[in-house]
Amino acid sequence: MAFRPLHDRVLVRRIEEDQKTAGGIIIPDTAKEKPQQGEVVAVGNGARGDDNELIPLDVKKGDKILFGKWSGSEVKIDGEELLIMKESDILGIIG
């Protein structure tokens, strides 16, 4: 992929959840919520502090993350729907 986020931004691919409930009921697409888990595809170099010092990001490519329901901006890159968000929108790293 020929895209690199700038500063403290992160490019994320949503991880799709199961389409069935534990009881075996299939959930239709119209009733599903968008997943709040994703995989980091690319990261920026980091943010600049008050002293203009580069602060590296805590996440790296390949990390599985949890983010807020309304976090990020949806973009389409190379035909794939992805999210761009600031590192501060990420709630945590899974695993």
Side-chain angles (χ1 to χ4, degrees), residues 17-60:
E17 296 175 359
D18 291 337
Q19 297 184 10
K20 288 185 186 179
T21 65
I25 299 172
I26 296 175
I27 303 169
D29 288 338
T30 55
K32 283 195 277 184
E33 289 189 21
K34 291 186 178 180
Q36 294 175 299
Q37 294 183 16
E39 178 183 356
V40 176
V41 177
V43 296
N45 291 332
R48 294 277 176 185
D50 293 333
D51 57 356
N52 207 24
E53 191 71 27
L54 187 66
I55 303 168
L57 300 180
D58 289 330
V59 296
K60 61 186 179 307

Side-chain angles (χ1 to χ4, degrees), residues 57-75:
L57 300 180
D58 289 330
V59 296
K60 61 186 179 307
K61 183 178 178 179
D63 282 347
K64 305 276 190 254
I65 60 166
L66 184 66
F67 52 88
K69 187 178 277 192
W70 307 109
S71 298
S73 299
E74 294 181 356
V75 295

